[in-house]
């Protein structure tokens, strides 16, 4: 996309009306032709641990609609994303360790839009052997100090 004139800003700037709020802006990795996209709604009951460690074939973008998500990607510290917060992950080789409900007494609901690489599943579970091989890539856990 060509750069716009200074009075209109650069190609990366967008003027939104006051009714529209930008929640997240990221530059995902290149996505090949033939991929697909999907949007899912996840509703975890109180204290639900979420999915076991897994990876996505392409980038994913999420928005927490209700509650709080315990979110952890390989190489990043665990964090809690609360209602109105966003998250994203690059997909590919990166392990997604946690996506569970961080609240013990309330449900959590979040929306995720995922881009899937051609011919690849949206989600692949990671086995114990690979988790052990890649343990050195995981950020220290809060309980580990």
């Amino acid at each position: 996309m060509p750069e716009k004139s200074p009075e209109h800003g650069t190609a990366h700037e967008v003027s939104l009306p006051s009714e529209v709020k930008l929640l997240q802006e990221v530059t995902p990795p290149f996505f090949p032709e033939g991929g697909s996209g999907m949007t899912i709604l996840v509703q975890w009951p109180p204290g639900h641990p979420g999915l076991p460690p897994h990876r996505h074939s392409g980038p994913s973008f999420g928005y927490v609609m209700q509650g709080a998500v315990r979110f952890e990607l390989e190489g990043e510290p665990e964090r809690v994303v609360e209602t109105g917060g966003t998250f994203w992950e690059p997909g590919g080789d990166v392990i997604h360790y946690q996506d569970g409900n961080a609240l013990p007494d309330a449900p959590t609901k979040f929306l995720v839009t995922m881009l899937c690489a051609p011919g690849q599943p949206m989600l692949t579970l990671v086995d114990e052997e690979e988790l052990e091989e890649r343990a050195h890539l995981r950020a220290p856990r809060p309980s580990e100090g």
Side-chain angles (χ1 to χ4, degrees):
M1 178 185 268
E3 195 163 305
K4 296 180 181 179
S5 62
E7 63 271 10
H8 293 100
T10 66
H12 299 287
E13 293 177 8
V14 177
S15 295
L16 299 172
S18 61
E19 299 84 4
V20 177
K21 181 180 178 183
L22 177 65
L23 297 176
Q24 175 176 236
E25 183 177 25
V26 299
T27 303
F30 170 76
F31 193 72
E33 186 175 331
S36 63
M38 66 177 64
T39 299
I40 63 170
L41 175 64
V42 179
Q43 299 182 79
W44 294 141
H48 192 284
L51 295 174
H54 60 276
R55 59 175 48 99
H56 298 283
S57 64
S60 300
F61 307 86
Y63 175 76
V64 181
M65 302 168 67
Q66 173 187 350
V69 175
R70 187 170 311 284
F71 188 79
E72 181 188 1
L73 292 179
E74 186 172 64
E76 296 180 9
E78 172 186 310
R79 63 188 171 107
V80 174
V81 183
E82 297 180 349
T83 300
T86 62
F87 55 88
W88 92 285
E89 58 184 288
D93 193 46
V94 176
I95 295 174
H96 185 173
Y97 284 99
Q98 295 189 70
D99 67 356
N101 186 347
L103 305 176
D105 57 354
T108 288
K109 181 175 7 178
F110 58 99
L111 193 67
V112 182
T113 298
M114 293 174 278
L115 302 176
C116 303
Q120 298 292 315
M122 176 264 293
L123 180 141
T124 305
L125 297 181
V126 178
D127 63 32
E128 288 297 323
E129 183 178 336
E130 184 177 3
L131 288 173
E132 288 178 25
E133 290 171 3
R134 296 173 70 113
H136 66 285
L137 299 173
R138 191 172 187 182
R141 310 269 300 143
S143 59
E144 295 173 350

